[in-house]
C-alpha cells in the first residue's frame, strides 16, 4: 500500500504477546485514518459498559495516511480509549515527530490491551516489539523519561510518548506527552495508560513511506507550502500564534474569566499574545512537515522561576490566566511547564483550579484543605502549587484530580452549580453565553467540551450569523463543521491551515499519496461516517439527549458587562438548537441516528446499539 504502512499491531501487556494483521484497502478507504480508524477499532475491541481503568479497555495509537510524507502539517497522531473522565469516547491528538516515526516503523494502528504486572514501556523498533522494565522510570517526569529512554536505547532520534506522575496516579485529567511539549491532552488518556502500568511507548522506524504520485504530490504540496509560509490565511499562527486570541475574545466579551463569573479580563493586556511575544518568547519553531511554525517557546528571564520554559498556546494561557484571574505570565508559564513535566492537561487543570479558587473564596474549602495555599483568584503562586498537588494527589488535589465534575460532587454545598464542564470534560477558551452557534457545537461534541471537533465559534465571531440569536440553520452549520473536522482528524491534518482546504483538495492529495480512488464527495461522506460512528459509540456507552448539555453558568448567569452583556443560553434555546441539529443530521429528536442514516453510511453492523435497552424487569 502507498501512504499507509499496511499493518495493525496488537499488544497484550498482561502476557507480553504481540501479533499483527494487515490493513485492508477497503477498510482504509471507508474509514480513511485517524478518527475513523480510532472509533471503529475501539468499537470492535472494547466491551460495552466497561470501566475505563479495566485492563480490557484498549489504548489505541493511530496515524493518518499522510504521516511521514511531504504533505504539510501531516506529522500528527491520535490516541483512543474509553475516557475515565466522561465515560464516553476518549480521543486526543498531538503533533511533533512521534506519529511519522510510528508509520516508518510499519504500523498504522497499535492496539494495547491488558495490564503489565510491573511498570514497563513498549519499545517498537520496526518489526521488533518488546516490553521493557520501567521500574526505574516510574515517578519520573515526562522530560526525564524521554531523556532516560533515549540514553538507555542509545539513540537520540527515538520518539517517545510518555506519561508523568499524574498518569501514574490515575488523575482523570492526565495526558500523554511527546516531543517535550506536545500532548495527547484531553479526556484523561494518560490515566488509562497509567492504569495499564505502561510508562511510555518508544518508537524507531526505518522503513520508507512510498506515495503513489510523487510528482503530483510535490507540485500540490509546493503550492500549499507557499500559502502556509507566506499567505494571509495562516498569518496569525506564524506571528503571535493562538495567544493572539486573548485580546480579540476579550473585546468580544467572550473570554472566560474567573470561572465564568465574567467574560472580560481587566488584565488581558499583560497575558496577551503581544505581551508574551515581546517579553518571554525566545524561539518559534514548527512540527514535522509544517511551514507555519506556530510553536512559540517562552522562557521566564528572571526571578525565582528563571529558566522555566513552556510552549504556551491560547487555550492553556486562558485556563491558567484569565480563568484563574491571573495576570502574571510568569505564573502561567511555570504552571504550564509543570503540566508538561507531570503529564497533566493544562486546559483542564486551569479550569479545575479556577473552580477551586471560587470554592475557596466562598468558604467551601479552606487552607487546611489546600495544604496551606491561599487559593484565591489571582494568586499565581498558589495556582502553581496546586498543579503539583493535583499531579501527586496531595490534600484537596486528590479530589480535584478527579476532574471538575466529580470534584464538585464530592465538595457539594452548591459547587455543582459553578463547575464548568460538558459530559464531564472541562470547558475550553470561549465564553459560550454570547456565542450561540459555538454553544451548540460544544453541547453535542462527542468528546465533551471541545472547540477542536467543530470550530463553530468562527460563525459567531466573524459576523456570519448573529451570535446572540438562536435560529434555524445553526444545526446545519455545526454539522458541516463537524464533518469537515472529522476529515481533518482522519487524514490527520492540523486545523490551523483549514482555510486552505476543501473536500476536493483533500481528496486530491489523498489520491496522490495512496493511489486509492477518492472523490471530494466520498471524502465528505467519510467525515459524516466518522461523526455518526462517534455518536453510535457514545450511545452504546449510555449517552442520551440529556448529556448534550451546557455548564450551569452558561444557562443561568448572564454575561455581566461588555458588548455581550446580558447574554446566556436558556434551556428553551438549547432545546431548539438540539432539535435543529438532530434534524440536520437525520437523527431522531432524542439524538439517535436513524436506521436510514446508518444504512446510508454503511454502518449497519452498529444498528443494534440504537435499540432501546431492556431493563432487568423486562
Amino acid at each position: 500500500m502507498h501512504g499507509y504502512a499496511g499493518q495493525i499491531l496488537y499488544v497484550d501487556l498482561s502476557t507480553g504477546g504481540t501479533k499483527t494483521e494487515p490493513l485492508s484497502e477497503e477498510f482504509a478507504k471507508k474509514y480513511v485514518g485517524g478518527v475513523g480508524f480510532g472509533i471503529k477499532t475501539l468499537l470492535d475491541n472494547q466491551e460495552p459498559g466497561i470501566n475505563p481503568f479495566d485492563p480490557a479497555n484498549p489504548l489505541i495509537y493511530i496515524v493518518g495516511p499522510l504521516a511521514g510524507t511531504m504533505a504539510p502539517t501531516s506529522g500528527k497522531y491520535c490516541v483512543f480509549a474509553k475516557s475515565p473522565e466522561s465515560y464516553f469516547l476518549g480521543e486526543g491528538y498531538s503533533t511533533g515527530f512521534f506519529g511519522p516515526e510510528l508509520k516508518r516503523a510499519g504500523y498504522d494502528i497499535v492496539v494495547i490491551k491488558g495490564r503489565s504486572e510491573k511498570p514497563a514501556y513498549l519499545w517498537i523498533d520496526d518489526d521488533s516489539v518488546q516490553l521493557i522494565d520501567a521500574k526505574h522510570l516510574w515517578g519520573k517526569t515526562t522530560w526525564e523519561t524521554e531523556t532516560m529512554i533515549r540514553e538507555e536505547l542509545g539513540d537520540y532520534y527515538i520518539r517517545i510518548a510518555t506519561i508523568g506522575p499524574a498518569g501514574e496516579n490515575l488523575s482523570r485529567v492526565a495526558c500523554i506527552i511527546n516531543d517535550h511539549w506536545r500532548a495527547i491532552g484531553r479526556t484523561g488518556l494518560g490515566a488509562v495508560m497509567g492504569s495499564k502500568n505502561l510508562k511510555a511507548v518508544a518508537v524507531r522506524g526505518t522503513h520508507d513511506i512510498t506515495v503513489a504520485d510523487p510528482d503530483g504530490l510535490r507540485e500540490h504540496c509546493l503550492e500549499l507550502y507557499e500559502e502556509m509560509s507566506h499567505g494571509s490565511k495562516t498569518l496569525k499562527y506564524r506571528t503571535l500564534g493562538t495567544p493572539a486570541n486573548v485580546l480579540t475574545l476579550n473585546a468580544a466579551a467572550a473570554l472566560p474569566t474567573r470561572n465564568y463569573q465574567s467574560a472580560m479580563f481587566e488584565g488581558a493586556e499583560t497575558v496577551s499574545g503581544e505581551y508574551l511575544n515581546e517579553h518571554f518568547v525566545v524561539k518559534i519553531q514548527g512540527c514535522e512537515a509544517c511551514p507555519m511554525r506556530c510553536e512559540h517557546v517562552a522562557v521566564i528571564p528572571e526571578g525565582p522561576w528563571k529558566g522555566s520554559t513552556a510552549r504556551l498556546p491560547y487555550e492553556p494561557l486562558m485556563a491558567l490566566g484569565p480563568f484563574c484571574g491571573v495576570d502574571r505570565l510568569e505564573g502561567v508559564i511555570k504552571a504550564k511547564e509543570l503540566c508538561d513535566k507531570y503529564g497533566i492537561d493544562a486546559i483542564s487543570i486551569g479550569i479545575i483550579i479556577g473552580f477551586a479558587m471560587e470554592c475557596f473564596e466562598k468558604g467551601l474549602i479552606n487552607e487546611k484543605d489546600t495544604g496551606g495555599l491561599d487559593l484565591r483568584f489571582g494568586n499565581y503562586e498558589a495556582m502553581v502549587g496546586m498543579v503539583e498537588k493535583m499531579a501527586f494527589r496531595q490534600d484537596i488535589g486528590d479530589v480535584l484530580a478527579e476532574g471538575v465534575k466529580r470534584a464538585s460532587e464530592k465538595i457539594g454545598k452548591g459547587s455543582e452549580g459553578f463547575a464548568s464542564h460538558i459530559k464531564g470534560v472541562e470547558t475550553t477558551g470561549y465564553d459560550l453565553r454570547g456565542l450561540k452557534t459555538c454553544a451548540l457545537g460544544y453541547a453535542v461534541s462527542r468528546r465533551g467540551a471541545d472547540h477542536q471537533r467543530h470550530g463553530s465559534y468562527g460563525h459567531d465571531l466573524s459576523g456570519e450569523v448573529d451570535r446572540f440569536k438562536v435560529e434555524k440553520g445553526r444545526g446545519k452549520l455545526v454539522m458541516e463543521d463537524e464533518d469537515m473536522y472529522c476529515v481533518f482528524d482522519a487524514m490527520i491534518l492540523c486545523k490551523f491551515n483549514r482555510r486552505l482546504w476543501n473536500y476536493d483538495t483533500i481528496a486530491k492529495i489523498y489520491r496522490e499519496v495512496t493511489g486509492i480512488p477518492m472523490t471530494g464527495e466520498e471524502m465528505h461522506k467519510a467525515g459524516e461516517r466518522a461523526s455518526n460512528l462517534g455518536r453510535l459509540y457514545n450511545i452504546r456507552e449510555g449517552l442520551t439527549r440529556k448529556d448534550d448539555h451546557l455548564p450551569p453558568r452558561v444557562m443561568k448567569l448572564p454575561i455581566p458587562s461588555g458588548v455581550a452583556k446580558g447574554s446566556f443560553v436558556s434551556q428553551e434555546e438549547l432545546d431548539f438548537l438540539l432539535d435543529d441539529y438532530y434534524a440536520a443530521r437525520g437523527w431522531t429528536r432524542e439524538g439517535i441516528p436513524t436506521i436510514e442514516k446508518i444504512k446510508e453510511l454503511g454502518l449497519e453492523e452498529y444498528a443494534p446499539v440504537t435499540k432501546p435497552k431492556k431493563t432487568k424487569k423486562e
Side-chain angles (χ1 to χ4, degrees):
M1 298 180 74
H2 294 294
Y4 296 103
Q7 284 195 107
I8 305 170
L9 171 65
Y10 293 87
V11 179
D12 188 334
L13 297 176
S14 300
T15 65
T18 65
K19 67 174 183 178
T20 59
E21 290 181 358
L23 181 81
S24 73
E25 183 173 314
E26 179 185 6
F27 180 90
K29 181 172 183 178
K30 186 171 184 178
Y31 297 103
V32 180
V35 63
F37 284 9
I39 303 173
K40 167 68 173 169
T41 305
L42 190 59
L43 275 164
D44 294 350
N45 286 273
Q46 178 225 306
E47 290 297 320
I50 201 170
N51 187 296
F53 291 146
D54 191 305
N57 181 21
L59 185 71
I60 305 167
Y61 282 72
I62 302 162
V63 292
L66 307 185
T69 72
M70 69 179 76
T73 76
S74 60
K76 300 178 77 71
Y77 75 105
C78 55
V79 179
F80 283 74
K82 185 174 183 180
S83 166
E85 195 172 22
S86 69
Y87 274 55
F88 295 130
L89 184 65
E91 62 178 307
Y93 299 80
S94 183
T95 314
F97 299 88
F98 180 89
E101 197 73 14
L102 183 61
K103 174 77 74 67
R104 285 188 281 267
Y107 308 102
D108 301 290
I109 304 172
V110 178
V111 182
I112 304 169
K113 283 188 174 183
R115 182 179 189 272
S116 176
E117 185 178 339
K118 57 186 179 180
Y121 69 87
L122 181 63
W123 169 220
I124 301 173
D125 187 12
D126 287 340
D127 297 334
S128 173
V129 181
Q130 306 173 56
L131 282 178
I132 297 180
D133 191 331
K135 185 178 179 180
H136 61 299
L137 300 173
W138 209 251
K140 300 297 184 183
T141 69
T142 61
W143 294 5
E144 290 169 333
T145 301
E146 279 196 46
T147 298
M148 292 173 71
I149 289 178
R150 285 176 176 143
E151 289 176 350
E152 187 174 303
L153 297 177
D155 187 347
Y156 176 81
Y157 292 101
I158 288 168
R159 300 300 175 181
I160 299 156
T162 180
I163 59 171
E168 297 169 5
N169 292 320
L170 304 189
S171 165
R172 293 182 189 269
V173 293
C175 59
I176 302 167
I177 298 289
N178 64 279
D179 297 303
H180 211 63
W181 289 302
R182 291 294 182 175
I184 296 288
R186 316 245 48 218
T187 68
L189 297 179
V192 176
M193 198 160 159
S195 75
K196 296 180 176 300
N197 264 341
L198 182 63
K199 179 64 174 177
V201 178
V203 181
R204 178 170 59 197
T206 62
H207 299 301
D208 290 334
I209 298 169
T210 64
V211 299
D213 181 5
D215 292 334
L217 180 65
R218 185 181 301 108
E219 182 179 353
H220 190 182
C221 287
L222 281 172
E223 296 172 3
L224 289 167
Y225 271 79
E226 179 63 24
E227 288 190 80
M228 289 178 196
S229 58
H230 297 98
S232 60
K233 293 179 180 179
T234 59
L235 179 63
K236 177 176 82 170
Y237 305 107
R238 302 194 310 269
T239 52
L240 295 180
T242 55
N245 292 349
V246 172
L247 295 183
T248 299
L249 292 173
N250 196 56
L255 180 65
T257 299
R258 292 187 180 86
N259 195 32
Y260 260 90
Q261 292 183 34
S262 178
M264 299 179 70
F265 184 44
E266 69 282 0
E269 290 283 349
T270 57
V271 293
S272 65
E274 290 82 353
Y275 194 90
L276 177 70
N277 266 24
E278 183 179 351
H279 296 278
F280 296 95
V281 171
V282 297
K283 180 168 64 172
I284 301 175
Q285 60 192 22
C287 298
E288 178 167 297
C290 181
M292 289 187 295
R293 299 170 58 250
C294 74
E295 189 171 80
H296 290 56
V297 180
V299 176
I300 299 175
E302 58 187 6
W305 295 324
K306 181 179 179 179
S308 292
T309 181
R311 187 185 70 88
L312 200 61
Y314 165 69
E315 298 289 340
L317 193 162
M318 172 281 308
L320 296 164
F323 201 85
C324 291
V326 169
D327 61 2
R328 291 287 296 273
L329 277 173
E330 294 93 333
V332 176
I333 292 167
K334 183 61 181 179
K336 176 59 162 57
E337 180 190 65
L338 292 181
C339 287
D340 293 339
K341 285 183 174 181
Y342 295 148
I344 195 164
D345 181 71
I347 301 173
S348 285
I349 208 168
I351 303 305
I352 297 166
I353 292 175
F355 160 81
M357 286 174 162
E358 183 164 348
C359 287
F360 189 91
E361 292 195 350
K362 290 181 181 299
L364 307 185
I365 61 175
N366 55 41
E367 288 192 14
K368 182 179 178 181
D369 299 311
T370 65
L373 296 178
D374 182 20
L375 201 62
R376 300 179 188 276
F377 284 116
N379 189 338
Y380 63 94
E381 293 173 322
M383 177 184 71
V384 170
M386 189 51 67
V387 172
E388 184 160 349
K389 288 183 181 294
M390 287 179 64
F392 291 94
R393 286 187 172 269
Q394 299 167 348
D395 302 315
I396 195 68
D398 184 38
V399 174
L400 299 178
E402 290 290 293
V404 78
K405 177 180 183 292
R406 288 174 178 80
S408 69
E409 291 167 352
K410 290 186 177 184
I411 293 170
K413 304 173 186 176
S415 64
E416 301 94 330
F418 53 85
S420 190
H421 71 90
I422 297 171
K423 299 180 176 72
V425 179
E426 291 74 22
T427 53
T428 62
Y430 298 85
D431 193 310
L432 306 175
R433 292 173 288 187
L435 303 171
K436 298 196 176 182
T437 318
C438 185
L440 172 61
Y442 270 67
V444 300
S445 168
R446 64 181 180 269
R447 75 170 187 179
D450 199 346
H451 60 289
Q452 283 278 24
R453 307 281 73 77
H454 55 87
S456 295
Y457 52 84
H459 303 294
D460 293 320
L461 292 169
S462 68
E464 177 187 344
V465 298
D466 185 337
R467 64 187 177 108
F468 303 118
K469 286 186 178 180
V470 163
E471 54 195 358
K472 191 172 178 58
R474 301 298 175 91
K476 185 172 184 292
L477 290 177
V478 171
M479 175 190 71
E480 290 171 345
D481 289 343
E482 287 179 324
D483 291 349
M484 174 56 88
Y485 271 37
C486 270
V487 170
F488 270 77
D489 288 339
M491 291 297 282
I492 309 164
L493 293 167
C494 176
K495 300 186 184 79
F496 289 173
N497 66 103
R498 59 190 178 276
R499 295 171 66 193
L500 304 180
W501 302 83
N502 57 41
Y503 289 116
D504 288 333
T505 57
I506 293 175
K508 179 181 178 183
I509 207 165
Y510 179 81
R511 294 193 303 269
E512 290 166 346
V513 169
T514 68
I516 298 173
M518 178 77 82
T519 65
E521 184 179 347
E522 288 174 318
M523 189 62 74
H524 186 174
K525 188 63 69 176
E528 186 184 8
R529 182 177 297 114
S531 290
N532 280 263
L533 200 61
R535 188 71 176 189
L536 290 169
Y537 174 85
N538 281 341
I539 289 170
R540 193 189 76 165
E541 299 306 310
L543 178 136
T544 65
R545 178 180 174 124
K546 68 178 177 60
D547 294 299
D548 289 340
H549 63 81
L550 293 169
R553 280 211 164 135
V554 172
M555 303 185 70
K556 295 179 180 178
L557 182 68
I559 291 175
S561 61
V563 296
K565 183 178 180 179
S567 296
F568 70 103
V569 181
S570 69
Q571 185 63 55
E572 182 181 8
E573 288 176 316
L574 177 59
D575 285 336
F576 179 93
L577 289 167
L578 290 177
D579 288 344
D580 189 48
Y581 171 80
Y582 295 159
R585 277 258 172 239
W587 297 351
T588 70
R589 288 198 70 230
E590 294 305 311
I592 299 172
T594 61
I595 295 300
E596 291 76 17
K597 176 58 65 175
I598 288 171
K599 288 181 178 178
E600 176 191 326
L601 297 171
L603 299 174
E604 293 90 339
E605 63 185 300
Y606 302 112
V609 309
T610 66
K611 296 178 181 178
K613 307 297 186 293
K614 291 184 178 181
T615 65
K616 290 183 179 179
K617 190 174 181 180
E618 291 174 319

